[in-house]
Amino acid sequence: MSAEDWELLYQLTAIVGLTVITVITRAFFMIPKNELPLPDWLKRGLKYAPLAALTAVIAPEVLMTQGHLITTVLDARIPALVCATLYYFKKRGILGTIVVGMAVYLPLHIGLGW
């Protein structure tokens, strides 16, 4: 076998392996016939997993720049966050919260260069 054949074999093996791993991990919850028994404390805790994951992704983006906490109020993210939060607690609408946040953020960031 030539070097090109080996490389093609390696690529095909990687594709097949990754496909198998993806199918197994995505379908893992469908494999058992009965529901897996989970303790009540774990069931309660899993309800908060999506919120915790979202917070872990968004908080550093909003509160940090280049790996350090924001130290100035002249950052467009702070007023946008405050306005979006106030809107959400008043109206309870996700789409409106995003629109308000961006309506405050974009003029400050693009227009004033914050």
Side-chain angles (χ1 to χ4, degrees), residues 9-25:
L9 181 63
Y10 288 144
Q11 290 174 354
L12 289 175
T13 304
I15 290 170
V16 169
L18 289 170
T19 302
V20 168
I21 289 170
T22 301
V23 168
I24 289 173
T25 57

Side-chain angles (χ1 to χ4, degrees), residues 39-59:
D40 286 337
W41 63 267
L42 183 57
K43 287 180 185 178
R44 284 192 313 269
L46 287 175
K47 290 180 182 178
Y48 299 103
L51 178 62
L54 188 61
T55 302
V57 171
I58 292 176

Side-chain angles (χ1 to χ4, degrees), residues 50-64 70 77 81 98:
L51 178 62
L54 188 61
T55 302
V57 171
I58 292 176
E61 247 345 276
V62 171
L63 302 175
M64 297 179 79
I70 295 173
R77 293 175 287 185
L81 175 67
I98 294 169

Side-chain angles (χ1 to χ4, degrees), residues 18 25 29-30 34 56 62 69 78-79 92 99:
L18 289 170
T25 57
F29 66 94
M30 292 187 278
N34 299 328
V62 171
L69 286 174
I78 301 301
R92 299 286 182 185
V99 170

Side-chain angles (χ1 to χ4, degrees), residues 2 7-9 12 24 27 58 71 79 90 100:
S2 67
E7 184 161 338
L8 179 63
L9 181 63
L12 289 175
I24 289 173
I58 292 176
T71 58
K90 183 174 181 170
V100 167

